[in-house]
Amino acid sequence: MAPIDGNTLIARTLKKQGVDHMFGIVGFPVFGIAAAAQAEGIQFIGMRNEQAASYAAGAVGYFTGRPGACLTVSGPGMIHGIAGLANAQENCWPMVLLGGASNSYQEGRGAFQEAPQVELARIYSKYAARPDQAARIPYYCEQAVRTSINGRPGAVYLDFPDDFLSAQVDEADVTIPERCPDPPRTLAPVGDVSKAIEVLRTAERPLVIIGKGAAYSRAEEEVRKFVEAAKLPFLTSPMAKGVVSDSHALSVMPARGLALEKADVVVLLGARLNWIMHFGLPPRFAEDVKTIQIDIHAEEIGRNVPAEVGLVGDLKAVVGQLNDALDAEPFTYPSDTSWWQALSEKVEENRTFVQNMMNDDAVPMGYYRVLREIQDQAPPGTIIQAEGANTMDISRSVLMHENPRERIDAATFGTMGVGLAQAIAAQVVHPDRK
């Protein structure tokens, strides 16, 4: 059979594994990877620097569920790409960073741009490896993609010496693995689901918090059914906006402070009790709050606040289990409670306050007035990239979303200055949208 080089093996395997977009800067020794990627049908987007390329690749992972790829040269190029690698890892977004390296036989001699790249990547990734031979490149590429999307999604790194990229291998000696399947929709134990429903039934002041894990899991239908069946007040993390419409009658986003502070039972749907949620601790949360926590990652259950019930599994599947339990034994939180009255009053008060600022035509315009123009003029389906602390905080209460995955911002890692890169990723994935 015909010979095939390492560059083509990388591109062909990644394409087969569902990697459709690659961002980067070409240079020694990765020229050939970029050319091969385009030949295999991967869209290559040249960027101005490796940091931007890596941030864009991570955002693609969030939007699509399959990793975006970032291509860098060796040494400083790869090190610049670590920024987006760390961002994707902390945000739980699948991403693959591809780093070129000098010839393997020159390692340890002070080769051009030589750096301990695998070791540098390992702390910020789920998987970091250098193939042991050119013929095994497809194995490592499949393992990297599989690792990035399964369990808690995250970032992976592959290191490619120049002599591996240019190596010629007989196609007969190479096996390109089949596309690894999408992650399984794992279920929580039935007993834990029943316990969660029982705790919910005892709540006097329940609250559902929807996190971006629900958006990533594409659980919008299940989550809507859950909150509507039980008639539970809910709020969202910034990037979960639209999983259930911001305009939904059960949304208490304008009363976020009161809801967090006074709730006695909180249902966490793919939301982590980290800095975004004030660690689940007083004074933002009640000292004796009970949590029902759903997360794909078992180690996340009980972090910062012991969970009353932990449901480990895929969020879409587990919320489906909760819905089945409610179908079997319906539960509806009453609408005439003092909790709903307090929340409704605070929602109305804060909405009026925000609306007045949005309608303020004073010169110069304030944040709220500017964001009103965006809200009024943005067509349905617009993806909002919120950049900067004030913009993120204020736009959360002004810009309304009807559908999920239409907002992206600094996210869990709190990364600023990435708005343009992530906006490019959104445009690449959704070329028909604003």
Side-chain angles (χ1 to χ4, degrees), residues 212-282:
K212 76 174 181 292
Y216 180 84
S217 185
R218 283 158 171 74
E220 48 266 25
E221 291 184 14
E222 289 77 9
V223 173
R224 289 187 196 118
K225 180 178 178 180
F226 175 66
V227 297
E228 289 177 350
K231 296 292 189 292
L232 296 170
F234 75 87
L235 56 82
T236 65
S237 71
M239 282 186 55
K241 287 168 67 65
V243 170
V244 182
S245 170
D246 287 339
S247 61
H248 198 287
L250 296 172
S251 173
V252 294
M253 275 296 290
R256 183 177 186 272
L258 174 66
L260 295 179
E261 181 183 355
K262 299 297 184 182
D264 65 343
V265 173
V266 171
V267 184
L268 296 163
L269 303 182
R272 290 181 272 178
L273 291 178
N274 54 21
W275 67 274
I276 296 174
M277 290 298 163
H278 310 276
F279 312 106
L281 298 174

Side-chain angles (χ1 to χ4, degrees), residues 132-171:
D132 56 342
Q133 55 182 289
R136 293 241 298 159
I137 284 174
Y139 167 82
Y140 284 89
C141 289
E142 191 273 349
Q143 285 290 297
V145 173
R146 180 187 294 270
T147 302
S148 75
I149 64 175
N150 276 282
R152 171 179 278 182
V156 296
Y157 173 69
L158 290 172
D159 195 65
F160 295 108
D162 181 33
D163 50 322
F164 282 29
L165 298 177
S166 59
Q168 298 286 323
V169 180
D170 193 297
E171 285 192 76

Side-chain angles (χ1 to χ4, degrees), residues 325-365:
L326 290 176
D327 287 341
E329 295 185 46
F331 160 73
T332 301
Y333 181 70
S335 60
D336 58 354
T337 62
S338 58
W339 178 230
W340 259 123
Q341 181 179 351
L343 289 173
S344 298
E345 290 175 356
K346 181 57 72 172
V347 164
E348 187 58 33
E349 175 187 336
N350 287 346
R351 275 183 179 157
T352 300
F353 177 76
V354 168
Q355 193 62 49
N356 287 339
M357 288 192 288
M358 291 171 65
N359 293 335
D360 185 354
D361 290 328
V363 178
M365 288 192 293

Side-chain angles (χ1 to χ4, degrees), residues 74-76 78-79 82 100-102 107-108 111-123 128 130 157 159:
S74 52
M78 178 273 173
I79 291 170
I82 290 177
S102 294
E107 189 168 351
F112 175 67
Q113 294 183 335
E114 182 178 349
Q117 295 171 188
V118 176
E119 291 83 353
L120 288 169
R122 186 164 285 127
I123 194 171
R130 170 186 285 190
Y157 173 69
D159 195 65

